[in-house]
């Protein structure tokens, strides 16, 4: 049989050419059953070989990916070494400044949000006075929670979720406004600082708030001056509300 197996290629070739088993058997000096067995064995060996080749191909592919990753990592390390510590520090400093500016902008935005909603929050706290409960959460805790929210309505609703929480934030705003007023009164540029404080008060805090034009008419200055005063005043009250010098609230 081993001698016959060496001619399996001829058997397969004759089979593909359309020869019947009996004719192939006669040609190969074998029985038809033997021819059929040899063809079955050949097909089985071919299938095993194909599966083995596919498996080896997959393993080779994985090795190539691993080698590619190692090459890429080496290139990254070499590039980092070329750039050097100085460039790396510049990159991290730029990222730090970007993050700091983002938080500063967020603090300013949240301050404006609190000022715009001051009367509504104060009214809510006063009308809900009997619903207040003792709480450990401080004003700075509430302010820090605002930094992770990006929907104004959600921020205000989070403050209003309890009378105590609302009262805490309103009290904090009023305390910082008092400190800001004291700062303005003691400033060397008292007249200018006082004008800025009053613009902020009339715009957001007064019982009857005023428009920038009305404030300009009251103070006998231009609307551009009012807008500039409000911008500076909001920056200063933001530093007080969220922490001196605009430090990250902890």
């Amino acid at each position: 049989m081993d001698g016959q197996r060496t001619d399996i290629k001829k058997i397969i070739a004759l089979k593909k050419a359309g020869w019947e088993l009996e004719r192939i058997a006669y040609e190969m000096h074998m029985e038809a059953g033997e021819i059929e067995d040899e063809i079955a064995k050949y097909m089985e060996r071919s299938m095993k070989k194909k599966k083995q080749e596919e498996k080896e191909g997959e393993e080779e592919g994985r090795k190539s990916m691993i080698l590619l990753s190692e090459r890429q990592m080496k290139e990254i390390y070499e590039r980092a070494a070329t750039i050097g510590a100085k460039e790396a520090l510049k990159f991290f400093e730029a990222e730090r400044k970007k993050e700091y500016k983002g938080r500063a902008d967020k603090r300013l935005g949240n301050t404006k949000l609190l000022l715009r909603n001051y009367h509504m929050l104060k009214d809510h706290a006063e009308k809900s006075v009997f619903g207040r409960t003792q709480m450990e959460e401080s004003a700075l805790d509430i302010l820090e929670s605002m930094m992770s929210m990006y929907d104004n309505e959600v921020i205000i609703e989070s403050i209003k979720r309890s009378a105590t929480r609302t009262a805490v934030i309103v009290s904090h705003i009023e305390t910082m406004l008092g400190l800001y007023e004291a700062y303005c009164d003691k400033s060397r540029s008292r007249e200018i600082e006082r004008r800025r404080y009053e613009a902020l008060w009339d715009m957001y805090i007064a019982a009857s708030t005023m428009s920038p034009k009305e404030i300009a008419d009251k103070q006998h200055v231009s609307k551009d001056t009012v807008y500039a005063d409000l911008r500076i005043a909001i920056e200063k009250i933001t530093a007080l509300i969220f922490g001196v010098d605009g430090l990250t609230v902890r």
Side-chain angles (χ1 to χ4, degrees):
M1 190 65 65
D2 289 341
Q4 292 169 350
R5 283 184 60 186
T6 58
D7 293 329
I8 188 63
K9 291 183 179 180
K10 182 178 178 180
I11 294 173
I12 297 300
L14 293 174
K15 178 68 176 173
K16 287 181 178 180
W19 284 35
E20 294 182 359
L21 291 178
E22 289 78 7
R23 187 179 175 189
I24 296 173
Y26 178 80
E27 175 69 22
M28 301 298 296
H29 306 290
M30 296 169 63
E31 296 293 331
E34 291 176 330
I35 294 296
E36 193 171 11
D37 288 344
E38 289 298 319
I39 292 174
K41 290 176 183 177
Y42 173 81
M43 294 302 292
E44 186 179 353
R45 288 196 300 272
S46 296
M47 288 298 294
K48 286 182 179 180
K49 184 179 179 181
K50 184 178 180 181
K51 288 181 180 179
Q52 182 64 29
E53 289 175 349
E54 288 176 352
K55 183 178 178 181
E56 290 174 355
E58 289 176 358
E59 290 177 355
E60 197 62 36
R62 283 195 293 271
K63 288 179 181 178
S64 297
M65 288 178 68
I66 293 171
L67 290 173
L68 181 62
S69 297
E70 290 175 351
R71 248 191 339 265
Q72 288 175 329
M73 289 302 295
K74 184 178 179 182
E75 288 175 3
I76 290 170
Y77 291 141
E78 289 175 350
R79 189 175 302 171
T82 302
I83 293 172
K86 185 176 179 180
E87 292 300 318
L89 286 172
K90 283 170 64 177
F91 171 78
F92 288 123
E93 180 65 15
E95 289 298 307
R96 188 190 67 79
K97 287 181 179 178
K98 188 189 299 182
E99 181 181 356
Y100 180 83
K101 185 180 184 304
R103 285 186 64 85
D105 291 345
K106 178 68 173 171
R107 284 193 293 268
L108 278 171
N110 283 341
T111 297
K112 292 176 183 177
L113 182 65
L114 290 173
L115 292 173
R116 286 197 302 269
N117 288 276
Y118 169 78
H119 284 286
M120 182 269 291
L121 292 172
K122 186 174 179 65
D123 187 58
H124 176 74
E126 290 175 349
K127 287 183 178 179
S128 306
V129 65
F130 295 110
R132 295 186 191 179
T133 57
Q134 197 69 25
M135 64 182 289
E136 296 181 359
E137 194 174 23
S138 68
L140 294 186
D141 291 331
I142 299 170
L143 292 168
E144 179 62 14
S145 70
M146 291 171 64
M147 296 298 290
S148 61
M149 302 178 195
Y150 292 89
D151 185 298
N152 290 345
E153 289 186 14
V154 172
I155 291 173
I156 295 302
E157 287 304 316
S158 74
I159 295 172
K160 289 173 58 183
R161 74 185 182 197
S162 76
T164 306
R165 188 178 172 90
T166 309
V168 165
I169 207 69
V170 169
S171 176
H172 182 67
I173 293 171
E174 291 175 344
T175 300
M176 294 306 110
L177 283 166
L179 289 176
Y180 181 36
E181 184 180 19
Y183 158 80
C184 293
D185 285 337
K186 293 179 180 179
S187 171
R188 291 182 179 179
S189 306
R190 183 182 184 282
E191 185 178 343
I192 296 174
E193 295 296 346
R194 186 75 202 182
R195 187 188 70 208
R196 291 168 177 167
Y197 170 80
E198 289 178 1
L200 181 74
W201 183 271
D202 288 336
M203 184 76 178
Y204 299 106
I205 309 300
S208 296
T209 57
M210 303 168 68
S211 69
K213 184 180 184 307
E214 290 172 329
I215 296 171
D217 292 340
K218 175 185 175 182
Q219 296 185 349
H220 306 291
V221 296
S222 68
K223 280 177 63 177
D224 288 342
T225 298
V226 172
Y227 285 123
D229 284 349
L230 287 171
R231 178 179 58 79
I232 294 170
I234 289 172
E235 286 177 355
K236 289 184 176 179
I237 197 67
T238 297
L240 290 170
I241 289 174
F242 282 89
V244 178
D245 296 327
L247 293 175
T248 302
V249 179
R250 294 294 180 186

